[in-house]
Amino acid sequence: MNKQELIDILENLECSTESLSYDNGYEQGVYDSLSYVILLDEPKKVVVPKFVAEWIEYAKKKGDSLIDSFNPWDLYGAEYIDATRWIDNNQETFALAWVNGYEVEKEPLYHVLLSDKGATNIGYTFLNLAGTIDFTICKEKVDTLTENQIKAIDERYWPFAVKVE
């Protein structure tokens, strides 16, 4: 339902004649109105990568306009080349994110299993959030990490990363 449809419905709402008091009729009218407002469509937030969300926040903080923000590289240099490329390929999504807000794309999560039940028949040896090797017998307790977290600990662990579904 859009805004005009809601206005049309509210303009044609009839107050219940079963009510003997003004207060009851008023309360019923407010209740009926709210039940339609709940159906009103809100702009949907689009999903953007983290670097685009950071660019939007930075550009707004600097007071850049939407039209200027389409060219991050032109405004602030090569540091923003990834944002410029993404915006060039997703102009409508970028404009919607700027105007209606956005959600940041969730980074994929990984387990870094160094051995599992198949090898030890006891439990799981894994890389934990602290960057140390840990052990558990319950796979649900194996830490999940992002690609950046794994590579920050040691890039040699990356080949052992298994994407978490």
Side-chain angles (χ1 to χ4, degrees):
M1 169 184 312
N2 65 34
K3 184 177 177 180
Q4 188 56 50
E5 290 171 332
L6 177 60
I7 291 169
D8 293 342
I9 288 171
L10 294 178
E11 284 178 343
N12 295 315
L13 264 183
E14 294 182 19
C15 190
S16 172
T17 56
E18 297 173 15
S19 171
L20 298 177
S21 77
Y22 174 81
D23 288 340
N24 287 342
Y26 172 81
E27 287 176 17
Q28 185 63 43
V30 169
Y31 174 79
D32 289 345
S33 298
L34 289 174
S35 68
Y36 286 107
V37 169
I38 290 169
L39 300 175
L40 184 64
D41 290 337
E42 291 184 20
K44 302 253 187 297
K45 291 185 177 182
V46 294
V47 178
V48 298
K50 184 178 179 186
F51 63 90
V52 173
E54 290 169 351
W55 164 245
I56 290 172
E57 292 305 311
Y58 181 73
K60 285 184 173 186
K61 181 179 170 188
K62 289 291 192 182
D64 296 334
S65 69
L66 170 60
I67 196 73
D68 289 337
S69 70
F70 273 89
N71 296 303
W73 187 356
D74 293 349
L75 288 174
Y76 299 105
E79 176 183 351
Y80 294 99
I81 188 63
D82 290 338
T84 300
R85 286 184 182 140
W86 189 91
I87 293 166
D88 285 346
N89 295 321
N90 301 278
Q91 292 181 2
E92 186 174 330
T93 302
F94 178 75
L96 289 170
W98 183 279
V99 173
N100 296 332
Y102 55 85
E103 293 179 14
V104 177
E105 189 174 75
K106 290 187 170 95
E107 290 186 65
L109 297 175
Y110 302 89
H111 291 304
V112 178
L113 294 175
L114 302 173
S115 71
D116 62 26
K117 273 190 167 176
T120 64
N121 211 16
I122 300 170
Y124 303 91
T125 305
F126 65 96
L127 182 66
N128 66 23
L129 289 168
T132 59
I133 305 303
D134 210 342
F135 179 81
T136 184
I137 58 171
C138 180
K139 191 169 185 177
E140 287 76 28
K141 295 192 179 194
V142 173
D143 288 349
T144 57
L145 301 103
T146 66
E147 179 178 352
N148 289 338
Q149 288 173 316
I150 295 167
K151 289 181 176 179
I153 294 167
D154 190 331
E155 290 201 19
R156 293 176 290 182
Y157 286 121
W158 180 240
F160 299 97
V162 178
K163 192 171 185 178
V164 176
E165 295 302 323

